[in-house]
Amino acid sequence: MSEKIVIFDTTLRDGEQSPGASLNVPEKVEIARQLAQLKVDVIEAGFPVSSPIQFEAVERITDSVDVTVAALARAVEPDIKAASDALKKADSSRIHTFIGTSDIHIGEKFRDARYGKTIKEKRISILKMARDAVTYAKTFTDDVEFSPEDAGRTDINYLAEVVEAAIDAGATTVNIPDTTGYTMPAEFGTIITELRQRVPNIDQAVISAHCHNDLGLAVANSLVALQNGARQVECTINGIGERAGNASLEEIVMALKVRGEYWDFHTDICFQEIINTSKMVSAFTGLIVQPNKAVVGDNAFSHEAGIHQDGVLKDKRTYEIMTPESIGLSQTRIILGRHSGRHGLAARMKALGYHLSEEELGQVYHMFLKLADKKKEVFDDDLRALMGDEIFRHQDHYELDSFHVSAGTTTPATATITLKVEEKDIRESANGDGPVDACFKAIDRALDHDTNMESYQVRSVTAGREALGEVIVQIREKGQPFTGRGVSTDIIEASVKAYLNALNEARAAADGPEENLKSAP
Ligand code: KIV
Ligand code: ZN
């Protein structure tokens, strides 16, 4: 009998810490529902103490899915209490508490003399904090996970002591994070083996691996951890996450499936949902999947060289180790057009993994009809882009009424924008370095606001001259990043929508309660 591997998805927690990714609560709920369809075992939904939005997201997710929901907490009581409060409604919940254990983390994050003066003294305090945190978390739920942060660079003797103390206090999962993506596969495998040999109570907990991709080794390290006795992996869709990201869920589960005879492990993943999940996460986070990304990249199943094409025509197995269908990519494209009715659209949205209320479906249908008027054929990726653009986003504060631009090689670009702000029309004009810049300047002038724009990206959603263009804009307001998205067959309109969307997200956050923590773990 092959052994089951627990898939712990942290797209909504570590994944959301990706530079440039920012999800609002309805988007997180929608992704969580899709993760449930994908049949992951645990969804890490957020870090509740860090902000009211994180708290609300965890709470709403517990209400929306029938999967174990985990919430992150530092090894201190207020964090653990907040995690437990946010998880209250869950049928099955896990508190995940962590503390840094490498000398660099101990020395720098716990500089205060109350933790001790020397590393030796501080290590004693950290071990006690780990034990106390697990003991406290156990008063709320039986399912407690403990992570010694930066385990990959932690002295193995000390790591074994902390892990033993956490299990002794009741941790049911001990997660070993390679927080900085520093370890080599053989080294990481040895850490897991050593822990199994040195920690006397290790068989009372599931060993988990949590690998970052700074050296491109996150998936390899996760697999080698399984080979050495871990039975849970922590991963994210499309490998998104801090810096270079986390181990990619789709790569791990497909490696276990495609090489089943090598591993003798299984997961409960519903593989046909992989592509929908990947595309949904990309549309909502605005993080575009690189074309050559394993499993879910646009080129993952394309064969360019003549010899390859010839081979594949003769027998796909010559150059394909897995089929597109196995991850839910259909060879027959379903195309909608202006005559497709609301029912046809509803069925397609459902097949793409979206759960829409009647009102939301009405909004998508309206956008779809507008698009179908301009574009004969509406593809799945167009529908996904529409979802990423408006449905779950704050649109209400600054609304676009109309714009006019004039630009060319011989005249300076000029834009006139009319916005609706709290029922009032505001019209302003500005010159700029091209029509998009002129529009952005006119918006800044209309709102009497100077925005710090960090990035502007534009891409075509599908091929062809009438393709939908997608613009992703990132701005920073009071130190916080906000992402805006806009889609339209007109790239200037898409840009204006994306900029206003980012401003609306920033405005909604400013109107909401204060953040409690400025930095993520
Ligand atoms: O990378 C890391 O160490 C983490 C922990 C909070 C588990 O994300
Ligand atoms: Zn991490």
Side-chain angles (χ1 to χ4, degrees), residues 468-500:
L468 202 53
E470 179 179 53
V471 173
I472 297 170
V473 158
Q474 196 176 36
I475 62 170
R476 193 167 284 272
E477 296 272 293
K478 296 195 185 129
Q480 288 279 104
F482 294 95
T483 304
R485 295 187 294 263
V487 293
S488 169
T489 46
D490 171 353
I491 213 65
I492 300 171
E493 185 183 357
S495 305
V496 169
K497 283 167 74 181
Y499 188 32
L500 286 175

Side-chain angles (χ1 to χ4, degrees), residues 64-380:
S64 319
V65 296
D66 206 5
V67 176
T68 299
V69 179
L72 187 70
R74 289 169 303 183
V76 289
E77 289 198 359
D79 283 41
I80 295 169
K81 176 77 174 65
S84 137
D85 287 347
L87 290 168
K88 247 188 194 119
K89 291 194 207 138
D91 289 335
S92 169
S93 67
R94 175 179 296 186
I95 295 179
H96 175 191
T97 185
F98 73 99
I99 193 161
T101 50
S102 63
D103 286 352
I104 178 101
H105 276 231
I106 292 180
E108 295 304 323
K109 290 166 79 173
F110 301 93
R111 277 189 187 178
D112 196 301
R114 78 191 137 115
Y115 300 109
K117 289 203 191 71
T118 61
I119 290 286
K120 197 170 164 201
E121 284 170 6
K122 286 179 196 288
R123 279 187 177 181
I124 295 170
S125 308
I126 300 305
L127 188 136
K128 180 170 179 328
M129 284 174 76
R131 179 189 286 280
D132 291 349
V134 174
T135 307
Y136 183 57
K138 282 297 264 196
T139 63
F140 301 108
T141 171
D142 276 346
D143 189 349
V144 174
E145 173 168 326
F146 172 73
S147 291
E149 193 190 13
D150 204 15
R153 293 189 298 170
T154 299
D155 168 67
I156 189 71
N157 296 313
Y158 182 58
L159 185 63
E161 277 177 50
V162 179
V163 165
E164 183 181 348
I167 298 175
D168 194 43
T172 40
T173 301
V174 282
N175 179 44
I176 307 303
D178 184 24
T179 305
T180 54
Y182 177 75
T183 60
M184 294 293 118
E187 245 178 327
F188 198 60
T190 305
I191 294 176
I192 306 292
T193 301
E194 294 263 331
L195 289 175
R196 289 181 64 212
Q197 285 165 359
R198 288 167 188 245
V199 178
N201 53 4
I202 196 78
D203 54 349
Q204 290 167 36
V206 174
I207 305 176
S208 165
H210 175 113
C211 299
H212 279 267
N213 206 29
D214 299 66
L215 293 172
L217 295 170
V219 170
N221 283 348
S222 306
L223 292 174
V224 102
L226 296 179
Q227 202 158 35
N228 286 275
R231 289 295 175 264
Q232 171 179 289
V233 275
E234 303 201 351
C235 42
T236 61
I237 300 297
N238 301 337
I240 65 171
E242 279 281 3
R243 307 179 308 277
N246 287 59
S248 138
L249 182 149
E250 59 280 3
E251 292 178 23
I252 294 174
V253 301
M254 287 311 284
L256 297 182
K257 176 177 156 62
V258 171
R259 297 303 310 277
E261 86 301 342
Y262 178 85
W263 292 108
D264 208 16
F265 292 141
H266 68 273
T267 66
D268 285 347
I269 289 295
C270 175
F271 299 98
Q272 281 75 21
E273 291 295 335
I274 287 179
I275 202 72
N276 274 350
T277 319
S278 163
K279 298 231 180 210
M280 183 185 287
V281 167
S282 174
F284 283 149
T285 56
L287 298 174
I288 294 160
V289 175
Q290 75 192 61
N292 58 327
K293 163 91 175 58
V295 184
V296 292
D298 278 351
N299 296 348
F301 297 96
S302 313
H303 303 277
E304 194 68 22
I307 297 179
H308 288 212
Q309 288 176 350
D310 186 51
V312 170
L313 284 175
K314 289 183 175 125
D315 184 338
K316 282 188 174 182
R317 291 171 303 171
T318 49
Y319 289 101
E320 258 181 29
I321 58 164
M322 55 192 155
T323 63
E325 291 80 9
S326 67
I327 61 153
L329 257 177
S330 159
Q331 298 297 50
T332 37
R333 289 193 306 176
I334 298 187
I335 301 165
L336 300 181
R338 47 200 298 230
H339 301 298
S340 312
R342 196 179 154 114
H343 284 305
L345 179 71
R348 200 65 212 134
M349 296 311 293
K350 193 158 173 242
L352 297 182
Y354 295 98
H355 302 73
L356 300 175
S357 66
E358 272 307 303
E359 190 193 335
E360 286 160 353
L361 181 66
Q363 273 174 281
V364 185
Y365 188 55
H366 177 72
M367 287 155 63
F368 161 76
L369 287 180
K370 268 186 15 200
L371 180 61
D373 252 355
K374 295 187 188 153
K375 200 171 176 288
K376 276 202 303 290
E377 297 178 322
V378 177
F379 300 102
D380 286 350

